Amino acid sequence: MSHLPEPDAHDVQNRNRFPTLFEVLSRKTVAPLDLFSFYIYMRDQQRSVDYLDFWLDVSQHLQLCRLYVRRLHRSMIEETPDPEKTSKRSSYIMDNAGEGPSNEKGGDSMSDQRLSAFLRSDRGSRNHSPQNSQGSNQSGDLPRPSLQMLATPNDSSSPGQNSSADNTQPRREDLRASAEKILYTYLLPGSEREIIIPQSILAEVQEAIEGPEQRADPELFDSAKDYVFQAMERDAYPGFLQNKGLGNLVPQSMLLRLIIGLISFFGAVWAAFILIFLNKSRSTRCWLILPFTIAIYLLFTHQYMLDPIIALAGYSEYTFFDFNKIREPFVRKTLNRRSLTVLVMFVLLTVAICCLFIFVPGKRL
């Protein structure tokens, strides 16, 4: 396939909002709201990464279909002496084939429909070839190129696409194998990575692939793909934004901070009462500042899912104790504002508690 699209730097810098799920899945975002972060979130926290893998595999199937049609179109041009006799319909499809997923509205959605229509008609024309039709010998049109024409040695990859996938020659059987793999891996009951979709959608997809039509075009997965997209957008994406857009810690780190914070807080309170009832001097009780500071800071980071010092340094936690640079400008500005707010509240509460236990009169029991 072609190289993965890089996020547009201008769009990223000018985006004064959180990105949409579609932008994340289209790889138009950067850390910590990139597709890799969303994948980790779906795997480790939502425990539903199979839905995301299904969506990505269907998108990959769409790219395979586009590559197949592109190779077919190119072979038709090479095998046709007069370019004017080349199939205008296939040229039109290739010129208008977009790169967006199937649920994107607008021109890309229309191009996906044209691509699916072309693949269905291409299959029909192969089952009923010009050589077998009446009057084909009298026709001046050249026969439709066979699948073997896709493997012509002169068919080089386009400039800028040097991946090994571009050097392969996808066949019609590859499209069908890809569609069947998606069906048998994700959709059928009892499959290896079964996802839950409405029975009507499952029956429609299964009939399209296993029925008389033997379809392999990307449009047959549109209903299932849109359903999965809406499920992720409703159930998973809000939590992802809260976790990565408003915070910078993962649940394991938050739990560890909660445990250490509670232990430190109870230890600080215990030490404070001992010093008070032993009538120790205020200078001695100033040592209470250390455990109270650690305890309150860790409890604040757990409560707000945010370590303000790490956030102000420009880092976010991907996995447990694995920090990466924050590259999304709007997220960084948001986390900086929240970090300053959390630090102010932390300082005020720490000062209040420390003053309470330091300046309270001591009384030896």
Side-chain angles (χ1 to χ4, degrees):
M1 299 301 158
S2 59
H3 291 303
L4 297 180
E6 291 292 332
D8 187 88
H10 183 267
D11 291 342
V12 171
Q13 292 295 331
N14 292 336
R15 184 165 50 221
N16 195 31
R17 56 171 176 79
F18 286 123
T20 63
L21 175 59
F22 178 75
E23 290 173 329
V24 173
L25 296 177
S26 301
R27 299 179 176 90
K28 296 179 180 179
T29 58
V30 292
L33 297 180
D34 55 338
L35 181 58
F36 178 67
S37 300
F38 186 58
Y39 191 93
I40 293 177
Y41 175 80
M42 293 289 288
R43 182 194 66 188
D44 297 343
Q45 299 186 41
Q46 286 293 115
R47 307 292 183 182
S48 55
V49 72
D50 291 342
Y51 287 84
L52 179 56
D53 277 333
F54 167 79
W55 200 95
L56 295 175
D57 282 353
V58 172
S59 298
Q60 190 78 359
H61 178 72
L62 171 61
Q63 297 299 325
L64 182 65
C65 293
R66 285 175 176 157
L67 180 60
Y68 168 78
V69 175
R70 184 179 296 115
R71 300 292 190 183
L72 179 62
H73 178 230
R74 187 176 301 169
S75 66
M76 292 171 64
I77 295 177
E78 292 176 352
E79 294 294 326
T80 305
D82 186 359
E84 295 296 330
K85 294 183 179 181
T86 304
S87 172
K88 295 182 179 180
R89 180 177 57 178
S90 61
S91 301
Y92 181 73
I93 291 173
M94 289 311 305
D95 292 340
N96 292 276
E99 295 297 330
S102 63
N103 62 348
E104 182 180 6
K105 306 302 180 185
D108 287 344
S109 177
M110 292 300 297
S111 65
D112 292 347
Q113 294 175 6
R114 298 189 192 103
L115 178 62
S116 297
F118 175 80
L119 289 173
R120 289 195 295 269
S121 63
D122 175 63
R123 178 183 177 276
S125 64
R126 294 184 188 281
N127 293 337
H128 184 67
S129 62
Q131 290 85 344
N132 296 330
S133 61
Q134 293 182 353
S136 61
N137 294 331
Q138 289 78 18
S139 173
D141 294 337
L142 294 174
R144 193 179 188 88
S146 64
L147 290 174
Q148 285 74 12
M149 292 181 182
L150 296 177
T152 55
N154 295 328
D155 188 11
S156 59
S157 299
S158 58
Q161 296 181 352
N162 299 322
S163 63
S164 59
D166 281 340
N167 295 325
T168 62
Q169 306 297 326
R171 301 172 301 169
R172 187 78 191 196
E173 291 79 3
D174 297 330
L175 303 186
R176 176 157 179 79
S178 175
E180 289 179 341
K181 180 181 178 181
I182 294 174
L183 174 65
Y184 299 146
T185 302
Y186 298 103
L187 301 181
L188 290 183
S191 56
E192 179 184 358
R193 305 177 63 184
E194 181 184 359
I195 62 175
I196 306 301
I197 62 173
Q199 188 64 32
S200 58
I201 297 179
L202 172 59
E204 177 185 345
V205 174
Q206 187 174 5
E207 173 63 22
I209 296 177
E210 299 181 339
E213 294 185 3
Q214 301 282 299
R215 289 175 56 186
D217 57 277
E219 196 176 13
L220 68 91
F221 291 112
D222 277 358
S223 298
K225 188 178 181 182
D226 291 344
Y227 177 85
V228 168
F229 179 87
Q230 293 171 11
M232 292 191 297
E233 189 176 41
R234 179 184 64 250
D235 300 331
Y237 194 62
F240 173 69
L241 285 182
Q242 183 178 14
N243 187 270
K244 294 298 183 181
L246 300 177
N248 66 342
L249 298 176
V250 297
Q252 298 92 328
S253 179
M254 292 168 53
L255 179 60
L256 179 62
R257 290 164 183 265
L258 176 63
I259 294 173
I260 298 177
L262 290 176
I263 293 175
S264 299
F265 185 79
F266 287 120
V269 172
W270 176 76
F273 278 109
I274 289 179
L275 294 178
I276 290 173
F277 292 130
L278 290 179
N279 198 20
K280 295 295 182 178
S281 64
R282 289 186 174 89
S283 59
T284 302
R285 281 188 261 172
C286 285
W287 286 101
L288 295 173
I289 296 176
L290 181 60
F292 274 123
T293 300
I294 295 175
I296 296 174
Y297 184 82
L298 293 178
L299 293 176
F300 263 80
T301 59
H302 171 269
Q303 178 65 27
Y304 291 96
M305 300 183 294
L306 174 69
D307 190 312
I309 296 178
I310 295 177
L312 291 174
Y315 287 90
S316 179
E317 194 174 26
Y318 266 54
T319 55
F320 189 52
F321 273 86
D322 179 20
F323 295 92
N324 288 272
K325 193 75 174 177
I326 299 175
R327 298 173 54 201
E328 189 79 32
F330 182 74
V331 173
R332 178 151 193 175
K333 289 189 295 184
T334 302
L335 291 182
N336 286 344
R337 289 195 298 266
R338 295 194 78 225
S339 298
L340 293 176
T341 303
V342 170
L343 283 177
V344 170
M345 293 189 296
F346 156 72
V347 170
L348 292 177
L349 184 59
T350 303
V351 170
I353 293 179
C354 289
C355 289
L356 174 65
F357 285 102
I358 291 175
F359 293 104
V360 66
K363 180 177 177 61
R364 188 175 184 88
L365 296 180

